[in-house]
Amino acid sequence: MNGEPIIEISGLTKAFSGKTVVDHVDMTVSRGEIVGFLGPNGSGKTTTIRMICGLLKPDSGDGTCLGYDIRTEADRIKLEVGYMTQRFSFYEDLTIRENLDFVARLYGLTPRGDYVDSTLGQLGLTNRRNQLAGTLSGGWKQRLALAACVMHKPQLLLLDEPTAGVDPKARREFWDEIHELAGNGLTVLVSTHYMDEAERCHRIVYIAYGQVVARGTVPEVIADSGLHTFVVKGQSGAALARRLRERPGVDQVASFGNDLHVVGTDERLLEQAVREVIAGTGARAEPDETSLEDVFIRLMGQTADNFDGNGGTEARP
Amino acid sequence: MNAIPNAATPLAGRRRVRLRSFSWSRVMAVMVKETIQMRRDRLTFAMIIGVPILQLVLFGFAINTDPKRLPTAVIIADNGPVGRAIVTGMQVSDYFAVAPEPMGEAAARQMLARGDLNYIVTIPVGFERKLVRHERPQLLVEADATDPAATANALGSLNEIVRSAISHETTGPLASLSPGGLPVDVIVHRLYNPEGITAYNIVPGLLGTILTMTTILMTALALTREVERGTIENLMAMPARPYEIMIGKIVPYIGFGFVQVAVILVAAAVLFAVPMKGPMWLLLTVTLLFIAANVTLGYTFSTIARNQMQAMQMTFFFFLPSILLSGFMFPFRGMPDWAQVIGQVIPLTHYLRVVRGVMLKGGGVPEVANNVWPLLVFWAAVAGIALVRYRRTLD
Ligand SMILES: Nc1ncnc2c1ncn2[C@@H]1O[C@H](COP(=O)(O)OP(=O)(O)OP(=O)(O)O)[C@@H](O)[C@H]1O
Ligand SMILES: [Mg+2]
C-alpha cells in the first residue's frame, strides 16, 4: 500500500482481573488497507479494537492511531474514527432518524438534515425513518449502525463483526463499498468470523488467546501453515471419516457435502493414510489447496495446546 | 442501494477536523436525545405529574411532632424575681432553648424572620409592679408558626411554666397571688401562619421533597442506563466531552423539575389556598438553583453507580436524611446539634427555608440570601465530583 501508517501498535497488553486477554500485540495498518482481524471467540479482538480507539487503556505497550497517541489523544482519535461496536449500541428507544440526527449533531455535521436524509436514502430506510431502532431486524440494525459510523466520513473504520447476521447480498454490497472507500484512502480494520470475508481483505491478522499467531495475505498465511490437503470424493461416509481420523499424519477431517477434506502437516504421511483408507471403497482422492478455514482450525488447536502446556492455569480460570 | 452511504465522497485531501473543547452541537445532541427518551418513557412521564399530586394528598394531612429545645430569645424589660423565674422555668423546660445573652428587640425579630429563632418572649416594662397590684400584666410570646407542629406543644407548656414560676416566688410579699387562676395574660402572636394550618407548612415542604426525590432519581439513572444497555460504548467512541454529556443530560431534567414545580404550585394555590406572599421570581430563581444542584447530584450518583439498581439505592440513601434532617419532618432548630450539622449540608434544608420564607413570610432577597450560597457551594462540589468521576474509558 502507500505506506503511511494509520494504526501502529506495539506490545499492546491488557488484562482483566489478572487474566491477560491481549498479550503483546503488534500491528501496523497503512492508509487504504483493509485488514481482517480474526480469531476465535474470546481471543481479544474487541479488546484490541477498543484500545486502538482509546476506549480502553492498555496495561502496557503503546501505539498511535492516525498519528495520535492512543493513550493521551483519544479525543482526537474519536473525531476521525468510525467505530462500529460488536453489540448494537445505538438507542433502541429512538427512531432511526433520531439516532442518525444524534450522531450528526455529535460530529457537528452541517447541514445536518442533508446528511441524515442522504444516509436514510442510501440505506433505503427513508420510509421507515420513524420506526424505533429497537424494532429493526438484526441485520438492519447492523446496517443502521454501519451507516451511522461512516456518516462523518472518518479516516479509519474500526468494524467489530459488522456483518454478523447480515444476508449474503447485503454482505457483498458492503464489501464492494469497503473496497471503494479504501480506494479513496479510507483505512479499515474489520473483525470477522467469515472466511470469505477474510479472503476479501488485503491482509489478515489472526489472534488466539490474545497473541498474534499468524499474519499476512491469505496465500501467505496458508503457505506458512505448512498444511496439505486431500479431497476424498465419492464414497465418503461418516465411517470413512472416522477411520481417517485414527490414522497418523491426519490432523483434521471435515465433511463438505459429499466430500471429505483431509488435512495434515506431513504430506507423505497424509497421502499414505488417505490411500490406504480409501483402498477398496471406491472413493477417489486428490490433492487440493488448503483452505483458510483449515488453517484457522489448526491454529486454534495449536495455541490451545500451547496454552495448556505452559501457564495455562494462570491464564484460564 | 448502498450498504454504506456517502461512499462516493472522496476522502483524500479532506480538511482535518478541528478539535473543539466545547461544542453546543454536541451538548444539543445529548439534550435532544435525552428529552426524546424521557418523553417516550411513559412511566417517567406519569411520574412527573403523578408523584406530586399523590404526595400532596397524602402529606396534606398533619404530621404531628413534639419538637424540643426550640431556640428562644427573651427580651427582659423588667428585671424582677418573677420574670427571672419564668426565664429559668423556660430554661429548665425541654421545649425552649433560651439564648444565654440578652438580645435587642430588632435583632431578635430579624432572627425570627430568618428562622434562626422560634420564639421571642418579652417581659414588658412594669411587669413585676403590675403583678403585685393584681393588674394582670401581659407576657408577650411571638412564635414562628410556619410549622404549626413546632409551636403547638411548646406554647401549651408555657402557661404551666408561668404558673409554677409565680407560685415559687409567692412565699414573700407576693403570697396573696398564689391561689386561683393565672394572674398574668400570656399573649401569643402566631407569626406567618396565624391559624396554624398544617398544609401551609407541608405544601411548601413537599415542593422541596418531591423535587429532591424525582430529579435526583431521574438523573441518577441517566448514565447507568447507558451502561446497562451498552450504549455507553458508542457514546464514548464518539467525540462528546464529559462536561458536554453532563450538561446535555442535566438540562432536560431541570425542565422536568419545573413541570413539577408548576403542578405543585398550582395545587398549593387551588387545593390548599397556600398564600404566595413574596416575589414569585425569587422563588423560581432559587428553585432553579435547587433543581440544578439536585440533578447534578443525581448525575454524580450515576457516574459512581455501576448499574441502575445502585443508582436507585444511592438516591434513597440521600433522600432519607433529606426528609428527616432538613426541617421537613422535624423542626430544624429542635434537632440535636449533630443532626443540625448534617442538615446544613443538605440542599433541601436551605431550600425549605427559602420556600417558607418567600411563600409564607413574604421574604425578599436579603432574607433568603443566607440560604442561597450553601446551595451554590453544594452544586459546585457535586459537579466537580461528577467530572472527576466520569469514566472516559470502559475500564
Ligand atoms: N470488561 C471486561 N471485563 C472482564 N473481562 C473482559 C472484559 N471485556 C472482555 N473481557 C474478556 O476478555 C476476553 C477477550 O474478549 P474480547 O471481547 O476481546 O474477545 P473477542 O475476540 O472480541 O471475542 P468474540 O469473537 O466472541 O467477539 C474474553 O475472555 C472476555 O471474557
Ligand atoms: Mg468481539
Side-chain angles (χ1 to χ4, degrees):
Chain A
M1 296 276 95
N2 56 21
E4 184 196 345
I6 294 296
I7 299 174
E8 242 182 335
I9 54 174
S10 65
L12 220 54
T13 300
K14 181 81 188 172
F16 289 114
S17 41
K19 179 190 164 198
T20 304
V21 300
V22 174
D23 194 358
H24 293 90
V25 168
D26 305 327
M27 191 192 297
T28 307
V29 180
S30 308
R31 181 177 294 282
E33 258 194 316
I34 301 171
V35 173
F37 198 17
L38 292 98
N41 292 132
S43 54
K45 300 181 295 294
T46 301
T47 308
T48 305
I49 293 175
R50 283 174 176 166
M51 285 192 281
I52 292 172
C53 64
L55 283 182
L56 284 176
K57 281 254 182 284
D59 293 340
S60 70
D62 42 29
T64 59
C65 178
L66 296 161
Y68 305 119
D69 191 314
I70 60 169
R71 287 175 180 276
T72 56
E73 293 177 296
D75 284 333
R76 294 242 48 145
I77 294 172
K78 287 172 186 177
L79 279 175
E80 299 184 57
V81 166
Y83 170 42
M84 180 177 164
T85 56
Q86 178 170 5
R87 172 179 163 191
F88 182 74
S89 47
F90 281 90
Y91 299 98
E92 305 215 333
D93 51 350
L94 256 52
T95 65
I96 295 164
R97 208 206 144 85
E98 286 160 354
N99 269 303
L100 293 174
D101 229 39
F102 172 70
V103 175
R105 275 203 172 95
L106 271 186
Y107 286 101
L109 304 178
T110 46
R112 197 174 71 246
D114 292 2
Y115 272 91
V116 173
D117 287 339
S118 75
T119 303
L120 281 171
Q122 285 159 13
L123 261 178
L125 282 175
T126 307
N127 290 333
R128 297 211 270 168
R129 63 185 179 277
N130 293 327
Q131 186 178 338
L132 291 185
T135 64
L136 285 171
S137 75
W140 275 105
K141 277 184 187 164
Q142 293 294 92
R143 295 166 77 164
L144 169 63
L146 201 57
C149 81
V150 294
M151 197 159 61
H152 65 289
K153 303 193 177 66
Q155 306 264 336
L156 167 68
L157 274 185
L158 298 172
L159 306 174
D160 201 353
E161 299 190 32
T163 56
V166 173
D167 68 49
K169 181 165 168 289
R171 222 143 63 84
R172 175 162 302 179
E173 284 166 357
F174 161 77
W175 276 95
D176 290 345
E177 296 291 345
I178 290 281
H179 275 275
E180 195 177 325
L181 286 165
N184 285 329
L186 179 75
T187 310
V188 183
L189 178 66
V190 50
S191 83
T192 179
H193 290 293
Y194 296 117
M195 293 306 127
D196 59 318
E197 293 190 345
E199 281 163 359
R200 295 197 67 168
C201 296
H202 296 130
R203 279 197 301 126
I204 58 172
V205 173
Y206 186 90
I207 180 176
Y209 297 104
Q211 295 172 335
V212 175
V213 291
R215 65 170 99 221
T217 62
V218 171
E220 281 168 4
V221 169
I222 292 173
D224 288 350
S225 72
L227 290 179
H228 302 275
T229 300
F230 276 82
V231 177
V232 177
K233 292 174 188 287
Q235 280 289 325
S236 52
L240 198 64
R242 201 161 44 243
R243 273 171 41 218
L244 276 165
R245 280 197 191 95
E246 287 163 359
R247 302 294 299 233
V250 174
D251 293 335
Q252 300 169 29
V253 179
S255 314
F256 287 87
N258 289 323
D259 300 347
L260 283 180
H261 285 216
V262 190
V263 181
T265 34
D266 187 328
E267 194 174 8
R268 186 109 42 87
L269 217 55
L270 179 69
E271 179 161 10
Q272 192 190 343
V274 171
R275 301 266 173 249
E276 284 177 19
V277 169
I278 64 169
T281 61
R284 289 171 293 114
E286 53 196 56
D288 199 351
E289 281 184 14
T290 303
S291 74
L292 196 55
E293 183 167 302
D294 292 328
V295 176
F296 287 166
I297 287 169
R298 163 89 185 160
L299 286 172
M300 270 187 226
Q302 263 177 355
T303 36
D305 292 346
N306 285 347
F307 243 78
D308 291 340
N310 44 42
T313 43
E314 166 231 351
R316 284 197 299 183
Chain B
M1 188 184 59
N2 291 338
I4 300 183
N6 300 319
T9 321
L11 289 138
R14 144 189 174 290
R15 138 191 99 82
R16 290 231 134 185
V17 190
R18 237 176 69 235
L19 177 71
R20 274 178 302 175
S21 53
F22 184 86
S23 145
W24 270 114
S25 172
R26 296 198 288 252
V27 174
M28 275 301 285
V30 181
M31 245 160 73
V32 169
K33 173 212 128 213
E34 210 67 25
T35 309
I36 296 171
Q37 288 185 310
M38 191 164 73
R39 218 185 44 212
R40 211 155 270 162
D41 184 354
R42 295 240 173 81
L43 201 68
T44 305
F45 212 65
M47 216 168 114
I48 301 181
I49 312 294
V51 168
I53 292 179
L54 184 76
Q55 299 242 30
L56 276 173
V57 171
L58 289 180
F59 280 87
F61 304 100
I63 294 171
N64 221 345
T65 52
D66 188 15
K68 302 280 167 68
R69 302 206 59 74
L70 296 170
T72 304
V74 182
I75 298 169
I76 305 175
D78 185 283
N79 200 357
V82 178
R84 279 201 305 272
I86 291 174
V87 174
T88 311
M90 287 173 70
Q91 273 164 340
V92 169
S93 124
D94 270 350
Y95 285 106
F96 304 93
V98 180
E101 71 275 21
M103 209 176 290
E105 238 186 281
R109 294 253 151 67
Q110 253 177 25
M111 286 182 71
L112 192 70
R114 281 205 306 267
D116 292 337
L117 276 182
N118 268 66
Y119 301 101
I120 303 174
V121 177
T122 308
I123 299 175
V125 180
F127 180 81
E128 211 86 19
R129 186 163 40 88
K130 285 185 180 170
L131 194 62
V132 177
R133 295 189 194 159
H134 297 257
E135 282 176 16
R136 296 192 69 77
Q138 294 185 337
L139 188 69
L140 180 64
V141 179
E142 291 159 283
D144 177 352
T146 38
D147 185 353
T151 50
N153 288 341
L155 289 178
S157 75
L158 199 58
N159 282 338
E160 205 38 59
I161 292 169
V162 172
R163 189 194 311 281
S164 75
I166 292 172
S167 64
H168 249 271
E169 296 301 318
T170 45
T171 43
L174 298 173
S176 57
L177 292 171
S178 175
L182 201 60
V184 172
D185 282 333
V186 177
I187 312 281
V188 176
H189 284 178
R190 287 174 211 270
L191 299 180
Y192 313 123
N193 183 4
E195 289 95 52
I197 301 172
T198 308
Y200 281 14
N201 177 50
I202 290 290
V203 173
L206 275 184
L207 182 61
T209 44
I210 291 170
L211 285 177
T212 300
M213 189 172 83
T214 52
T215 54
I216 295 181
L217 184 61
M218 296 314 303
T219 16
L221 300 180
L223 259 188
T224 40
R225 191 173 47 222
E226 303 240 13
V227 173
E228 270 183 25
R229 294 184 186 172
T231 53
I232 191 79
E233 186 176 5
N234 219 342
L235 187 62
M236 280 184 177
M238 292 194 278
R241 303 300 187 87
Y243 43 83
E244 290 164 346
I245 295 176
M246 182 167 104
I247 298 170
K249 279 186 175 281
I250 278 175
V251 171
Y253 293 100
I254 294 181
F256 162 101
F258 267 98
V259 173
Q260 294 196 312
V261 172
V263 171
I264 297 166
L265 288 184
V266 168
V270 174
L271 295 181
F272 299 103
V274 177
M276 179 71 215
K277 290 190 177 155
M280 185 63 135
W281 68 264
L282 180 62
L283 180 65
L284 292 182
T285 309
V286 180
T287 301
L288 175 66
L289 177 60
F290 175 68
I291 295 177
N294 275 328
V295 293
T296 311
L297 177 70
Y299 187 78
T300 308
F301 284 167
S302 84
T303 60
I304 296 167
R306 292 251 154 205
N307 53 47
Q308 298 199 51
M309 191 64 194
Q310 283 184 4
M312 225 173 300
Q313 285 167 341
M314 290 169 86
T315 304
F316 283 105
F317 187 76
F318 181 80
F319 185 60
L320 236 87
S322 286
I323 288 247
L324 297 176
L325 304 182
S326 63
F328 172 71
M329 276 290 192
F330 314 111
F332 193 80
R333 298 296 170 194
M335 300 190 309
D337 288 342
W338 61 266
Q340 290 196 24
V341 169
I342 298 173
Q344 292 289 359
V345 181
I346 296 171
L348 183 58
T349 305
H350 303 281
Y351 182 65
L352 279 183
R353 291 182 197 161
V354 172
V355 178
R356 288 172 179 168
V358 174
M359 283 182 90
L360 305 180
K361 299 184 185 176
V365 177
E367 283 79 12
V368 305
N370 255 347
N371 289 309
V372 169
W373 68 261
L375 289 176
L376 281 170
V377 170
F378 183 89
W379 188 20
V382 289
I385 297 172
L387 288 176
V388 171
R389 283 287 322 187
Y390 181 84
R391 288 191 290 273
R392 286 153 186 275
T393 60
L394 294 167
D395 293 79

